[in-house]
Amino acid sequence: MAEFNNQLEAKRVSSWTSMDENIKKETFDVCEKYKDFLNKGKTEREVVENTISILEKAGFVDFNDILSGKIENKPGTKAYWSNRGRSIFIFIIGKKSPENGIKIVGSHIDAPRLDIKPNPLYEDGDMALLKTHYYGGVKKYQWVATPLAIHGVIMKNDGTKLNICIGDEDGDPCFVISDLLPHLGGEQLNRPGRDVINAEQLNLIIGSVAGYENPENEDDKALTVKQNILTLLNEKYGICEKDFMRAELQVVPAAKACDVGFDRGLVGSYGHDDRICAFTSLEAILNITDIPEHTALCYFADKEEVGSMGNTGARSCALDHFVSELCSLYFDKNVTLMKERCMRNSRLLSADVTAAYDPTFPEVFDRINAAFAGRGIAVSKYTGHGGKSGSSDACAEFLFEVTNGFDSEGIKWQINEMGKADAGGGGTIAQFMADKGIEVLDCGVALLSMHAPYELASKADIYWTYRAYKNFLSTK
Ligand code: MN
Ligand code: MN
């Protein structure tokens, strides 16, 4: 037993220790691209838009052009299919027909944030504020007293769609939710953490200047701060108060992705969960040079942070529809049967983040089953809560197949459980993919400060995750 533990312990070392200079350079180069990907995509819509522009430069075509017969479908064809601009399928047609199964890396591109309420604008204390509704599992106290940006779309009265992105660029104003000063925070600081800031206190300050009152003209009444803001919004964007009701506006941290540490070994950013797996799988499919045996697919889902609901979430029939359309191209077959065979024979990596061992909070981890930042892609046989509730437990056979593939290329990986069995837990899209009959395994990057406005990831893990997804997508 002692010897076995020693062998295991020997394998469980930082992957930086065995990285030669070439791989190190490749690691740092990939992470420069990743930071750009993060900065250009702070909402699921922006991620899809930026991804399409990257794909088109790399020769990927719109799947609709294949379905309409404009572009020929043949092994090696590279294409993408956007699902309502908030989720996307990216694929390379393999040599084998889909009934032999396809290989999928499924990630999600939504991230915890604050959404602006449909009727958000009010004035109080000579300030104009927007009420927000948090999205996903956020610690609300982390969102106050920090610079925030507003991203999203507004449907205007005339039916045109207005893209909003303000707060990130140099020279932009940003927006802030105020916190209580410690001098008056005695009662606040005695509350449990979840109530330090409550949901209805997440009110975003967007203005403080009242309109000018003209003393020359008695009819010219003073504008309130709210009226002044509405005037400004109307002049700049042509919108009125009613337009907030038909908008999708998200409040996200204004900070950009940044290297962390004197040695620059970590990337700090908003939204690693789960754009880190979306990016590494995108980089993987972009770097596949030979035509794969099985069709290789990257699936970026939406709404994972709220349970994968909705028609852009992984619980929806979006993947089924995609596979049916794919099968319809092989017109000599029964599409329904072919789709069912495809699902049954398909294999999927549920590409999502997990927790990295945090030296400041060791008490929540089972140290010998924890993932460590820098030790490679973290493979989780199962996720879930308590007695594995809400998880898809991968079978030993598939675990072997996937990790044996990683080993064949010297890809660094580690096996993990997120934390102590009863410390909490979390789910991924794995269970919803497994419901479709697909073979599924969870694996992705281990993060520190997951779901915080600024999360941390090891550059080594980003690199090994990219290599791991590429290995999976391009092998039999
Ligand atoms: Mn996630
Ligand atoms: Mn998450």
Side-chain angles (χ1 to χ4, degrees):
M1 186 66 191
E3 195 188 331
F4 177 73
N5 274 337
N6 288 342
Q7 277 177 13
L8 254 183
E9 204 52 45
K11 274 200 84 176
R12 287 160 59 85
V13 292
S14 170
S15 70
W16 289 110
T17 60
S18 53
M19 263 196 194
D20 67 29
E21 284 309 311
N22 290 335
I23 291 191
K24 226 178 228 176
K25 184 180 179 306
E26 212 184 322
T27 298
F28 281 85
D29 289 349
V30 165
C31 289
E32 287 308 303
K33 281 196 212 173
Y34 176 45
K35 285 185 281 177
D36 187 57
F37 183 83
L38 285 167
N39 292 337
K40 286 181 177 155
K42 289 198 174 182
T43 67
E44 54 279 359
R45 285 174 189 269
E46 290 171 357
V47 173
V48 168
E49 209 181 304
N50 181 39
T51 299
I52 290 176
S53 92
I54 293 169
L55 289 169
E56 286 185 340
K57 278 179 208 140
F60 284 66
V61 299
D62 191 330
F63 189 35
N64 291 319
D65 288 340
I66 297 177
L67 293 174
S68 69
K70 221 168 103 185
I71 292 171
E72 193 197 348
N73 173 53
K74 56 177 195 294
T77 296
K78 300 172 171 192
Y80 65 86
W81 205 36
S82 161
N83 178 11
R84 298 169 166 87
R86 283 170 280 146
S87 162
I88 190 168
F89 300 91
I90 304 154
F91 58 99
I92 303 177
I93 300 287
K95 290 177 191 160
K96 289 188 169 160
S97 95
E99 65 192 316
N100 299 291
I102 60 179
K103 297 194 86 173
I104 313 167
V105 178
S107 58
H108 68 90
I109 52 174
D110 61 315
R113 60 178 189 250
L114 308 179
D115 287 337
I116 289 176
K117 286 193 183 189
N119 192 13
L121 182 60
Y122 71 102
E123 175 172 344
D124 196 2
D126 294 346
M127 300 270 166
L129 301 103
L130 294 178
K131 293 201 69 72
T132 68
H133 193 136
Y134 66 99
Y135 172 97
V138 302
K139 284 179 164 177
K140 299 176 198 88
Y141 67 78
Q142 292 178 332
W143 290 75
V144 297
T146 187
L148 300 166
I150 300 175
H151 290 230
V153 295
I154 294 176
M155 291 305 296
K156 286 164 68 172
N157 232 354
D158 61 3
T160 55
K161 188 159 69 181
L162 181 71
N163 285 307
I164 301 282
C165 179
I166 182 157
D168 293 285
E169 292 310 315
D170 290 342
D172 275 3
C174 68
F175 311 95
V176 175
I177 296 168
S178 62
D179 194 7
L180 199 50
L181 60 169
H183 317 64
L184 299 178
E187 185 274 330
Q188 180 195 35
L189 291 173
N190 284 325
R191 291 181 216 153
R194 71 171 69 83
D195 300 326
V196 168
I197 294 290
N198 70 48
E200 299 304 333
Q201 290 172 330
L202 293 171
N203 302 319
L204 190 69
I205 295 175
I206 61 159
S208 58
V209 178
Y212 174 67
E213 187 179 8
N214 183 358
E216 307 288 304
N217 183 353
E218 290 213 342
D219 297 332
D220 189 0
K221 295 245 171 60
L223 291 170
T224 63
V225 178
K226 177 179 165 178
Q227 283 164 337
N228 197 35
I229 282 287
L230 282 170
T231 307
L232 273 171
L233 289 175
N234 193 267
E235 282 167 10
K236 192 158 166 50
Y237 301 108
I239 56 170
C240 58
E241 190 170 6
K242 183 179 149 196
D243 294 327
F244 281 115
M245 289 193 267
R246 301 185 293 200
E248 239 175 76
L249 295 170
Q250 307 181 2
V251 178
V252 295
K256 290 197 168 156
C258 197
D259 290 346
V260 174
F262 286 115
D263 54 10
R264 298 179 177 267
L266 301 166
V267 177
S269 176
Y270 164 66
H272 278 317
D273 178 9
D274 185 32
R275 290 161 195 153
I276 201 162
C277 295
F279 169 80
T280 44
S281 66
L282 174 64
E283 195 62 14
I285 205 164
L286 287 169
N287 282 286
I288 292 177
T289 44
D290 298 333
I291 298 174
E293 209 66 23
H294 298 269
T295 293
L297 169 69
C298 295
Y299 173 25
F300 294 2
D302 178 25
K303 297 282 184 283
E304 194 278 339
E305 297 297 354
V306 289
S308 297
M309 312 300 190
N311 59 11
T312 52
R315 271 186 184 189
S316 75
C317 49
L319 179 65
D320 305 66
H321 288 183
F322 169 76
V323 171
S324 292
E325 294 287 3
L326 191 67
C327 292
S328 75
L329 298 170
Y330 301 76
F331 48 84
D332 52 331
K333 300 271 172 57
N334 173 321
V335 170
T336 309
L337 186 60
M338 197 174 174
K339 183 205 133 188
E340 283 167 6
R341 285 182 180 155
C342 175
M343 290 300 197
R344 200 163 59 239
N345 292 323
S346 287
R347 288 159 288 169
L348 178 141
L349 297 184
S350 167
D352 207 342
V353 299
T354 185
Y357 175 84
D358 186 331
T360 302
F361 303 101
E363 65 278 8
V364 298
F365 295 93
D366 163 11
R367 208 173 181 285
I368 66 167
N369 281 286
F372 288 73
R375 291 187 184 177
I377 182 170
V379 177
S380 309
K381 187 174 186 297
Y382 45 82
T383 61
H385 301 259
K388 300 190 179 181
S389 162
S391 81
S392 167
D393 203 333
C395 67
E397 291 87 341
F398 190 46
L399 254 168
F400 172 79
E401 180 191 320
V402 173
T403 53
N404 193 46
F406 297 167
D407 283 337
S408 72
E409 289 186 12
I411 293 161
K412 304 295 180 194
W413 62 277
Q414 52 185 327
I415 196 90
N416 90 302
E417 272 202 38
M418 193 162 82
K420 280 185 178 165
D422 275 339
T428 63
I429 66 166
Q431 53 174 323
F432 311 120
M433 299 292 100
D435 283 348
K436 298 179 191 291
I438 302 171
E439 200 73 77
V440 178
L441 172 64
D442 277 292
C443 63
V445 178
L447 301 182
L448 282 101
S449 306
M450 191 203 295
H451 280 209
Y454 214 64
E455 304 171 310
L456 299 176
S458 162
K459 288 187 178 177
D461 297 338
I462 295 166
Y463 174 74
W464 293 120
T465 300
Y466 145 64
R467 288 279 309 272
Y469 294 159
K470 188 179 165 204
N471 168 272
F472 176 77
L473 290 172
S474 56
T475 52
K476 275 193 221 167

